[in-house]
Amino acid sequence: AFPYGRLSESELSERVVSVMDKLIETHAPDLVVVACNTASTLVLEDLRRRFSLPFVGTVPAIKPACAASQSRLVSVLGTEATVAREYTRALIRDFGQGCDVTLVGSRRLAVLAEEFLRGGPIDEADIAEEIMPCFRESDGSRTDTVVLACTHYPLLLEPFRKIAPWPVTFIDPAPAIARRVVD
């Protein structure tokens, strides 16, 4: 079903619940990490209602990004589906801390990351086209923090850093997710 962003919300929800049902029955886990922002922002509440075990979602790390930003210009780089979700907008309202948050929906980065993971080449022009909307300047300030709101994107962290027009902090939520699992 990859990439998930091309599925309708109902198709994705049905797919994730069905897959989780089979995985839980087969493996009897103590906890489940939903390692996808698109799926988490849509299905996490349904999974928690349906199953009795804990679920840890992967959602855009807006709160730590806004807390870390000095310029107060933050971008959230996610799939088109993740940045379009009300869940993501609610995170900005609840945890934006007065930052000017730009939502950037990428159509192709997850696919490019999958290709790179399989040993394919990096096309810097393709990556640049997807990430450049993250870099904004306003009243003498520049974006200084970019949230990686797709679990595929950290695979491209080095190319992101190379292509970025200026240094920024890229927020990879994986360490926070790992801490939540331990908790």
Side-chain angles (χ1 to χ4, degrees), residues 10 12 20 29-30 42 48 52 59 69 78 89 96 106 111 130 137 139 144-145 148 157 160 168 173:
S10 62
L12 179 59
M20 281 298 153
D30 295 320
L42 179 64
R48 288 176 176 152
S52 61
V59 298
S69 177
R89 291 177 184 353
S106 171
V111 172
E130 298 294 311
E137 296 184 72
D139 297 327
D144 67 352
T145 309
L148 300 180
L157 191 53
F160 288 172
V168 297

Side-chain angles (χ1 to χ4, degrees), residues 119-180:
I122 292 288
D123 185 328
E124 290 184 6
D126 287 345
I127 292 173
E129 183 179 329
E130 298 294 311
I131 71 168
M132 282 308 157
C134 292
F135 296 89
R136 296 183 42 240
E137 296 184 72
S138 177
D139 297 327
S141 294
R142 293 176 161 180
T143 300
D144 67 352
T145 309
V146 177
V147 176
L148 300 180
C150 173
T151 53
H152 283 84
Y153 296 175
L155 297 169
L156 299 171
L157 191 53
E158 288 310 311
F160 288 172
R161 287 183 176 134
K162 181 179 178 187
I163 294 166
W166 57 77
V168 297
T169 299
F170 287 98
I171 304 288
D172 176 358
I177 294 161
R179 286 189 300 275
R180 182 72 181 125

Side-chain angles (χ1 to χ4, degrees), residues 15-164:
R15 168 88 177 162
V16 172
V17 170
S18 171
V19 168
M20 281 298 153
D21 195 33
K22 292 172 188 162
L23 288 172
I24 290 167
E25 182 179 320
T26 302
H27 299 286
D30 295 320
L31 176 142
V32 174
V33 176
V34 181
C36 175
N37 283 263
T38 299
S40 292
T41 59
L42 179 64
V43 187
L44 201 53
E45 290 178 24
D46 292 339
L47 292 170
R48 288 176 176 152
R49 276 193 298 271
R50 180 177 171 111
F51 302 102
S52 61
L53 67 154
F55 284 85
V56 175
T58 308
V59 298
I62 291 165
K63 184 177 182 178
C66 291
S69 177
Q70 297 297 307
S71 71
R72 314 308 289 154
L73 293 175
V74 173
S75 289
V76 176
L77 178 62
T79 64
E80 292 173 313
T82 295
V83 301
R85 298 264 190 271
E86 173 55 29
Y87 191 105
T88 303
R89 291 177 184 353
L91 289 172
I92 294 168
R93 283 192 304 274
D94 294 345
F95 303 111
Q97 303 174 40
C99 287
D100 183 353
V101 179
T102 300
L103 295 171
V104 178
S106 171
R107 186 178 53 84
R108 300 173 44 217
L109 279 178
V111 172
L112 294 172
E114 285 279 328
E115 290 172 9
F116 179 66
L117 184 61
R118 288 191 295 273
I122 292 288
D123 185 328
E124 290 184 6
D126 287 345
I127 292 173
E129 183 179 329
E130 298 294 311
I131 71 168
M132 282 308 157
C134 292
F135 296 89
R136 296 183 42 240
E137 296 184 72
S138 177
D139 297 327
S141 294
R142 293 176 161 180
T143 300
D144 67 352
T145 309
V146 177
V147 176
L148 300 180
C150 173
T151 53
H152 283 84
Y153 296 175
L155 297 169
L156 299 171
L157 191 53
E158 288 310 311
F160 288 172
R161 287 183 176 134
K162 181 179 178 187
I163 294 166

